[in-house]
Amino acid sequence: MEFLVRDENGDPVDAAVEIVDSSIVLQSRGGTKGTEQAKNTDYSTALRLLLARLQQNKDLFVNGFVDSNRVQKISKVDRQVLDQTDLSRSLEEIFTVMSRRMQAVGKPPTTERHTGNANKRIRFTFSNASLTDLVQIANGDTPINASADRTDLSSVDLYWAEGDFRLVSHLRRERANGLSDAKKTAFIQEHGKLYCEKCQFDPVSTYKDEAAKACIEVHHRAVAVSKMTSGHKTRLSDLQCLCANCHRFVHANLKDVCSKPPRLTEAVNRTDTKSS
């Protein structure tokens, strides 16, 4: 799931974050501002916003480390630029210390002065954080206490861009990550459990195991991904929770409809239209 960070007023800034597993990834800044190559030009603003929200959700935060491709071979310990104890500092102190540490990552330890890139791709990791928690931290919604009930998704109105390679000049998307999990989470919040909307099959009750939730799949009932035009936006209401059997049945029916030849009257009408 990838989207823009939002400020205190709920307005997006030019800085992209991605929610992957139990982490929030702040994409790096690149290019010269004002040019076509510029991306994530509000990186520093977004980082300050995220740091403030991490302070408010300190109990969920674990650490932050540089996650750029060129330093992947370096241990995470040597790439770490933020830990939970750092969050007790003032916001500007955290920002300054973190920037210095970013500059040092990937450089020889003998370097006296670090003047490297302080706008790198950063991964912030969390413990016991739900998808709702991560979205709210990135979007700036009301901070959530780690011990409170975290089930309300109603205040988060997101869409996932699908069927297109580019969402905006610096956000690339073929098919949205996290969309299936978000639908299942919202469905459980609304109905209290996960079941098939077609045959009412409740896999957890049947198998007596939470892992049985994997039997429920998410179906695009409004528009199939293969039929989406450039820039298509999918909302959770466009999706349907189906068991594996019903999901395959639905797709089989769709294939049958698409593969059926036109009826004789339709064929005649098309011929008459062409001849006229």
Side-chain angles (χ1 to χ4, degrees):
M1 184 192 303
E2 192 175 57
F3 47 90
L4 298 178
V5 175
R6 292 180 178 272
D7 63 18
E8 296 89 344
N9 298 318
D11 298 322
V13 300
D14 185 24
V17 290
E18 184 177 6
I19 295 179
V20 183
D21 299 326
S22 295
S23 61
I24 296 176
V25 179
L26 174 62
Q27 305 294 355
S28 62
R29 177 177 175 174
T32 304
K33 192 168 185 176
T35 67
E36 292 184 358
Q37 291 73 34
K39 66 175 184 178
N40 298 327
T41 56
D42 292 327
Y43 179 96
S44 295
T45 299
L47 179 56
R48 284 184 170 88
L49 288 168
L50 290 175
L51 291 176
R53 293 162 193 169
L54 292 180
Q55 286 182 310
Q56 295 169 325
N57 293 274
K58 185 177 179 180
D59 291 342
L60 299 177
F61 178 69
V62 177
N63 62 14
F65 56 89
V66 175
D67 201 35
S68 305
N69 290 332
R70 71 180 189 84
V71 297
Q72 291 295 325
K73 293 183 179 180
I74 302 175
S75 69
K76 290 183 179 179
V77 174
D78 293 330
R79 288 187 274 145
Q80 183 170 307
V81 292
L82 187 69
D83 62 31
Q84 195 177 55
T85 60
D86 291 321
L87 297 180
S88 60
R89 304 169 183 254
S90 70
L91 182 59
E92 281 306 310
E93 284 179 327
I94 301 172
F95 182 85
T96 300
V97 169
M98 189 174 173
S99 297
R100 289 174 180 171
R101 291 172 181 171
M102 271 194 279
Q103 291 176 326
V105 173
K107 286 197 169 188
T110 55
T111 303
E112 294 183 2
R113 183 179 180 184
H114 301 300
T115 57
N117 181 12
N119 301 283
K120 297 176 180 177
R121 172 184 165 100
I122 301 295
R123 181 183 293 265
F124 299 102
T125 63
F126 300 83
S127 177
N128 298 320
S130 68
L131 175 62
T132 310
D133 295 333
L134 300 179
V135 170
Q136 289 181 324
I137 290 172
N139 267 353
D141 290 341
T142 303
I144 301 172
N145 187 295
S147 61
D149 180 22
R150 301 188 300 272
T151 58
D152 183 18
L153 276 174
S154 61
S155 62
V156 183
D157 185 19
L158 297 176
Y159 62 76
W160 285 256
E162 300 187 293
D164 192 7
F165 183 69
R166 298 170 71 87
L167 173 57
V168 293
S169 62
H170 60 281
L171 297 183
R172 291 175 172 81
R173 173 82 71 228
E174 290 179 350
R175 184 168 181 171
N177 294 322
L179 181 56
S180 177
D181 289 340
K183 173 62 179 179
K184 291 180 181 180
T185 298
F187 189 88
I188 292 173
Q189 291 169 4
E190 181 179 355
H191 301 283
K193 60 182 179 180
L194 193 62
Y195 60 87
C196 177
E197 294 184 64
K198 189 173 182 64
C199 71
Q200 309 303 307
F201 172 58
D202 181 348
V204 175
S205 296
T206 299
Y207 296 110
K208 311 299 181 185
D209 191 330
E210 287 294 314
K213 289 179 180 178
C215 296
I216 300 297
E217 301 173 352
V218 174
H219 170 64
H220 287 73
R221 62 179 170 185
V223 181
V225 175
S226 60
K227 301 295 184 182
M228 291 176 182
T229 58
S230 177
H232 181 87
K233 295 178 177 64
T234 299
R235 297 189 183 277
L236 297 185
S237 57
D238 298 330
L239 306 172
Q240 187 176 28
C241 289
L242 300 175
C243 69
N245 286 342
C246 287
H247 197 185
R248 281 153 182 74
F249 175 75
V250 169
H251 277 274
N253 275 346
L254 290 174
K255 289 180 181 179
D256 287 343
V257 171
C258 293
S259 61
K260 285 181 179 179
R263 291 177 296 177
L264 181 58
T265 54
E266 292 176 343
V268 171
N269 289 336
R270 290 176 187 174
T271 303
D272 291 343
T273 301
K274 289 181 179 180
S275 62
S276 60

